[in-house]
Amino acid sequence: MHDVRVTPISPEAADGDLCARPFPEQEYLDRLGAVQARMTERSLSSLIVADPANLYYLTGYNAWSFYMPQCLIVPVDGDCHLFTRAMDAAGAHYTAFLPTDRIHGYPDQLVNRPDAHPFDWIAARALEIGVLTDDVGGYVGAEFDAHFFSVRSYLSLRSALKTAALVDSNELVNWVRVRKSPLERAMLHSAGRIAQRVMEIALGELEPGRRQCDVVAEIQHAQALGAQQLGGDYPAIVPMLPTGETAGTPHLTWSDLPLRRGEATTVELAGVFHRYHAPLARTVVLGKAPRRLVDCAEATSEGMAAVLEKLRPGTRTCDVHREFAETIGKYGLTKESRIGYSIGIGYPPDWGERTVSLRPGDETVIEENMAFHVILGMWMDGWGYETSESLLIGPDGPDLLTDIPRGLTIKA
Amino acid sequence: MHDVRVTPISPEAADGDLCARPFPEQEYLDRLGAVQARMTERSLSSLIVADPANLYYLTGYNAWSFYMPQCLIVPVDGDCHLFTRAMDAAGAHYTAFLPTDRIHGYPDQLVNRPDAHPFDWIAARALEIGVLTDDVGGYVGAEFDAHFFSVRSYLSLRSALKTAALVDSNELVNWVRVRKSPLERAMLHSAGRIAQRVMEIALGELEPGRRQCDVVAEIQHAQALGAQQLGGDYPAIVPMLPTGETAGTPHLTWSDLPLRRGEATTVELAGVFHRYHAPLARTVVLGKAPRRLVDCAEATSEGMAAVLEKLRPGTRTCDVHREFAETIGKYGLTKESRIGYSIGIGYPPDWGERTVSLRPGDETVIEENMAFHVILGMWMDGWGYETSESLLIGPDGPDLLTDIPRGLTIKA
């Protein structure tokens, strides 16, 4: 499945840019066009984009500035404008493809204040430029479930709009991101090469007596180093390795406690290349594996095989889930939570796209060039087992991004 | 300044816990008491706490689950309850000091859906338990500027409250966090020991020809390893190292481009211990330093000395800023943005507490046991200089958390 690997193209880097964008300008224009077409369908005059993954997708803008209010405003016709803190606006053109006259910086005096908010300034400026319109009967969309669009931002924007309605975009941009372009698929394959290397290192480093933080040190080292010429980028989620009794719960980060013989550890991590993520999970037992863990691993492997067989264009995501549930059901196992979700660009705190889920009730029809993290987390009372695959949907089935033995790793 | 070091006490760890809380239960009860006293002053019947740093402060809850809706609800009298996704609720007692009957998990079917939201479930359950009250004339507080309390969460909660008003908490918990307890001060000193080690490694690793990502690999390795017996924790912000022309902008993360002789790099990173952060910034030039950079570094060092002299109980934060502005003003330099902020617990995307800022107009009177990151970022057009110190306010002045030469590092 790994024969066809497109080498990532960095057309901007060839020009000697200091902080190169991984895609040519035309790719961003195509993406903006797709977003504006959906805005027309939804009768939105402007769209406020605050999710950093959506900002990166639409403009290439890439900086750790999302802890302060910022947004891209996309009008239904014409050019989009970026609004961010003055100190970040000054350097935004290093990564965003926008000309500097479409990048606006609000004064630093507005940050972290009880009596004023950056979105007061942003709304006023955007109305002045005309990229935000306040028409009678008009609709302005905003990302009501994005992590970095706060309630104060919303209230400030709402009070600036005297006539237009402010409505939820319902992840409009995220849904455009679901189908990956050829260059995006190359990015995901590169991320997979990094994930492969990082997981190999993680599996090698887990040994009795080592502190969890020591193993994480090696994982994070490998994540930044990347794979040969492919330099690594930071993951949206830090390495997670719930261990021993706590392996029954999924999102614990590490401690400084040593790993113990006889304990199982679930490792979940990602390889990241230019913000594209290939997440991967495996379970390791140090010493003799308990029967229940071996049995669970075997049933889950059979479940994964069934899922991979089913994951192809034309299938509904709920049917993929049912296949898994029926397979593990034969062994008396059940799983309440979803078994996968759409992936691509990720920023903290999440590498999921918040769109398609593989679960009951989700009737999304799978298409070629979608990408998923299929994650089979079996969290029991006081123990757990996890395995996962990141993949692209090819014409005839899944194209896996990594190639790591899928079952339980037993280190005697 | 480093003679007095309190060894961090881990009373829970002594009991052999799997995932120990770093503070005794009484510390959490004291913190909750302080929050409830302020709620009484503000006439709040309930407070919705969604900021993961505030959750950790009040309960010890520590997991990478904040990418999904979750909150602690604190009533003005009585016990608080935690609401999170079912898969995370199952293991929340490993870190939160709450008994399991005060931890509630919402069904996984509610995540990432257009037609239902976890906060619908949370609000209904909280009203049923009575931890959320919906009284005529009552006020419920929520964190309107927290990163992980989305607009949909707010709208869902607002529609569940038929009579009580939903109001901004104005960072109520963050303001309680401003003064550090003895155990918290010990945590910050431990974080400082880690920051010291990490910065020494970073300064050593920056060499011409090395890729930025290779240097970051060593930094991240050191951050997780920690300092001797003090295991490192993950930082709220990844290492940042704007280089060359991009050093004029503060929040760029790394690329895979090699460092070049003659270029300056600003490095900003943190040492982290049990979520307590000691951030630190320095500037390194590889080769001969340009005159303007040397001059800027010298003026900024004089500015830092003036700030440290001024930072003591009884001084207003705006006066500290003025002292800095006047000192660098003598050299024709100005700085628009704040020169520091309160620190302590941090979660991505920010290690600031969103309370006190050292800047014009902020009239907070400095008190003993506050903690600050004084960051002097001089971002110019196409170049920049940064230096910083993390410190606690002692009775007679600042107690620095690290001891690294403050000026420009020149590696010839």
Side-chain angles (χ1 to χ4, degrees):
Chain A
M1 282 185 199
H2 294 269
D3 333 10
V4 187
R5 279 264 166 65
V6 188
T7 306
I9 302 162
S10 296
E12 307 292 327
D15 299 340
D17 273 49
L18 291 166
C19 194
R21 279 181 293 282
F23 299 102
E25 187 165 323
Q26 189 56 49
E27 176 114 358
Y28 299 108
L29 296 173
D30 291 346
R31 295 170 181 184
L32 278 162
V35 164
Q36 288 174 319
R38 289 197 181 213
M39 287 173 63
T40 303
E41 287 167 24
R42 297 265 313 269
S43 304
L44 298 176
S45 62
S46 311
L47 179 66
I48 318 295
V49 178
D51 180 333
N54 291 341
L55 278 177
Y56 180 74
Y57 180 74
L58 292 177
T59 70
Y61 182 55
N62 187 20
W64 195 285
S65 56
F66 44 87
Y67 69 96
M68 288 295 178
Q70 61 177 21
C71 68
L72 181 79
I73 305 190
V74 184
V76 68
D77 292 308
D79 293 333
C80 57
H81 286 241
L82 179 65
F83 301 82
T84 184
R85 190 181 180 188
M87 66 169 72
D88 298 309
H93 63 281
Y94 288 116
T95 55
F97 84 90
L98 307 175
T100 52
D101 62 354
R102 288 205 267 135
I103 299 171
H104 311 271
Y106 59 78
D108 205 71
Q109 279 290 321
L110 293 174
V111 312
N112 293 167
R113 279 175 75 134
D115 56 341
H117 195 272
F119 259 88
D120 301 339
W121 189 97
I122 291 172
R125 187 95 183 84
L127 285 166
E128 186 185 311
I129 296 165
V131 74
L132 180 63
T133 50
D134 189 16
D135 300 327
V136 177
Y139 292 94
V140 171
E143 299 177 322
F144 282 16
D145 226 13
H147 294 111
F148 304 115
F149 183 61
S150 75
V151 175
R152 278 189 73 191
S153 302
Y154 161 79
L155 294 174
S156 161
L157 191 58
R158 204 187 59 173
S159 75
L161 294 172
K162 304 301 176 199
T163 51
L166 184 57
V167 299
D168 192 354
S169 74
N170 297 119
E171 279 77 35
L172 188 152
V173 181
N174 307 56
W175 280 101
V176 171
R177 284 164 48 200
V178 166
R179 279 163 222 81
K180 271 64 186 175
S181 73
L183 285 173
E184 288 189 287
R185 300 200 292 276
M187 289 292 167
L188 281 169
H189 276 294
S190 295
R193 284 177 58 188
I194 295 173
Q196 169 99 17
R197 175 98 188 98
V198 177
M199 183 57 87
E200 283 166 356
I201 285 169
L203 297 178
E205 294 286 339
L206 286 161
E207 290 291 350
R210 295 202 70 185
R211 298 181 305 172
Q212 294 178 23
C213 60
D214 298 340
V215 176
V216 168
E218 303 304 329
I219 293 173
Q220 292 196 323
H221 185 268
Q223 284 177 316
L225 219 56
Q228 288 144 358
Q229 85 284 14
L230 306 172
D233 201 349
Y234 64 88
I237 306 181
V238 294
M240 292 185 290
L241 30 85
T243 297
E245 191 184 318
T246 66
T249 193
H251 297 121
L252 290 181
T253 53
W254 66 87
S255 75
D256 57 2
L257 295 175
L259 300 168
R260 292 187 293 200
R261 185 164 298 285
E263 275 184 350
T265 299
T266 59
V267 185
E268 190 173 349
L269 52 78
V272 189
F273 189 67
H274 286 284
R275 309 294 337 125
Y276 284 80
H277 282 60
L280 197 59
R282 289 292 182 270
T283 303
V284 182
V285 63
L286 302 177
K288 192 169 150 40
R291 190 72 246 163
R292 63 185 184 187
L293 186 60
V294 172
D295 289 348
C296 178
E298 283 173 5
T300 308
S301 285
E302 198 178 318
M304 179 65 90
V307 166
L308 297 181
E309 184 61 36
K310 200 83 184 170
L311 266 176
R312 53 185 63 235
T315 310
R316 294 184 309 169
T317 47
C318 54
D319 295 331
V320 177
H321 181 275
R322 200 184 51 234
E323 192 73 16
F324 176 72
E326 286 176 4
T327 306
I328 64 165
K330 290 187 295 184
Y331 301 95
L333 295 173
T334 57
K335 175 170 165 58
E336 292 297 315
S337 47
R338 62 182 180 179
I339 60 165
Y341 46 81
S342 185
I343 53 166
I345 299 165
Y347 276 85
D350 195 7
W351 56 48
E353 284 187 332
R354 297 189 282 118
T355 48
V356 187
S357 293
L358 306 179
R359 68 174 164 203
D362 189 313
E363 303 199 343
T364 308
V365 175
I366 292 168
E367 292 176 39
E368 198 177 337
N369 304 327
M370 287 182 173
F372 294 101
H373 182 215
V374 177
I375 168 116
L376 308 177
M378 310 299 293
W379 300 295
M380 309 303 187
D381 188 15
W383 63 284
Y385 178 77
E386 255 184 86
T387 191
S388 81
E389 295 292 351
S390 280
L391 52 89
L392 276 157
I393 301 294
D396 308 311
D399 182 10
L400 303 191
L401 300 182
T402 57
D403 182 14
I404 298 263
R406 199 171 293 149
L408 179 65
T409 300
I410 299 173
K411 295 181 77 168
Chain B
M1 283 181 201
H2 294 269
D3 333 9
V4 187
R5 279 261 165 66
V6 188
T7 307
I9 302 161
S10 296
E12 308 292 327
D15 300 339
D17 274 49
L18 290 166
C19 194
R21 279 180 293 283
F23 299 104
E25 187 166 323
Q26 189 57 48
E27 177 114 359
Y28 298 108
L29 295 173
D30 291 346
R31 295 170 180 182
L32 280 162
V35 164
Q36 287 174 319
R38 289 196 181 213
M39 289 173 63
T40 303
E41 286 166 25
R42 297 264 314 270
S43 303
L44 298 176
S45 62
S46 311
L47 180 66
I48 317 296
V49 178
D51 180 332
N54 291 342
L55 279 177
Y56 179 73
Y57 181 72
L58 293 177
T59 70
Y61 182 57
N62 187 19
W64 196 285
S65 55
F66 44 88
Y67 68 98
M68 288 295 179
Q70 61 177 22
C71 69
L72 181 78
I73 305 190
V74 184
V76 68
D77 292 306
D79 294 332
C80 57
H81 286 240
L82 180 65
F83 300 82
T84 185
R85 190 180 180 188
M87 66 169 69
D88 297 310
H93 63 280
Y94 287 117
T95 56
F97 85 88
L98 307 174
T100 51
D101 62 354
R102 289 203 267 134
I103 299 170
H104 310 272
Y106 60 78
D108 206 71
Q109 278 290 323
L110 293 174
V111 311
N112 292 166
R113 281 176 74 133
D115 56 342
H117 196 272
F119 260 88
D120 301 339
W121 189 97
I122 291 172
R125 186 96 184 86
L127 285 167
E128 184 186 313
I129 296 165
V131 74
L132 180 63
T133 50
D134 189 15
D135 300 326
V136 177
Y139 292 94
V140 171
E143 298 178 321
F144 282 16
D145 226 14
H147 294 110
F148 304 114
F149 183 62
S150 75
V151 175
R152 277 188 74 191
S153 301
Y154 162 78
L155 294 174
S156 162
L157 191 59
R158 204 186 59 173
S159 76
L161 294 171
K162 303 302 175 198
T163 52
L166 184 57
V167 299
D168 191 354
S169 74
N170 297 120
E171 280 77 34
L172 188 153
V173 181
N174 306 56
W175 279 101
V176 171
R177 284 164 48 199
V178 166
R179 280 164 221 82
K180 272 63 185 174
S181 73
L183 285 173
E184 288 188 287
R185 300 200 293 276
M187 289 291 167
L188 281 168
H189 275 294
S190 295
R193 285 176 59 187
I194 295 173
Q196 169 98 18
R197 175 98 188 99
V198 177
M199 184 56 88
E200 284 166 356
I201 285 169
L203 296 178
E205 295 286 338
L206 287 160
E207 291 290 349
R210 294 202 68 182
R211 298 181 305 173
Q212 295 178 23
C213 59
D214 298 340
V215 177
V216 168
E218 302 304 330
I219 293 173
Q220 292 195 323
H221 186 267
Q223 284 177 316
L225 219 55
Q228 288 143 356
Q229 84 285 11
L230 305 171
D233 202 350
Y234 63 89
I237 306 180
V238 294
M240 292 184 293
L241 30 86
T243 296
E245 191 184 316
T246 65
T249 193
H251 297 120
L252 290 181
T253 52
W254 66 87
S255 76
D256 56 2
L257 295 174
L259 300 168
R260 293 187 293 200
R261 186 165 297 284
E263 275 183 351
T265 298
T266 59
V267 185
E268 190 174 350
L269 50 78
V272 190
F273 187 67
H274 285 284
R275 309 296 336 126
Y276 283 80
H277 282 60
L280 196 60
R282 288 292 181 272
T283 302
V284 182
V285 63
L286 302 177
K288 193 169 148 38
R291 189 73 246 164
R292 64 184 183 187
L293 186 59
V294 172
D295 289 347
C296 178
E298 283 175 5
T300 309
S301 285
E302 198 179 317
M304 179 65 90
V307 166
L308 296 182
E309 183 62 33
K310 200 84 184 169
L311 265 177
R312 53 185 63 236
T315 310
R316 294 183 310 171
T317 48
C318 53
D319 294 332
V320 176
H321 181 274
R322 200 183 53 232
E323 192 74 17
F324 175 72
E326 286 177 5
T327 306
I328 65 166
K330 291 186 296 182
Y331 302 95
L333 294 173
T334 56
K335 174 169 165 58
E336 293 297 314
S337 48
R338 62 182 181 178
I339 60 165
Y341 46 81
S342 186
I343 53 166
I345 299 165
Y347 276 84
D350 194 8
W351 57 45
E353 284 187 333
R354 297 189 283 117
T355 49
V356 187
S357 292
L358 305 179
R359 69 174 163 203
D362 190 312
E363 303 198 343
T364 308
V365 176
I366 292 168
E367 292 176 40
E368 198 177 337
N369 304 327
M370 287 181 172
F372 294 102
H373 182 214
V374 177
I375 168 118
L376 308 177
M378 309 301 292
W379 300 295
M380 309 302 186
D381 188 15
W383 64 284
Y385 176 76
E386 253 183 87
T387 190
S388 81
E389 295 292 352
S390 281
L391 52 88
L392 274 157
I393 302 295
D396 307 311
D399 182 11
L400 303 190
L401 300 182
T402 57
D403 181 14
I404 299 261
R406 200 171 291 148
L408 179 65
T409 299
I410 300 174
K411 296 180 78 168

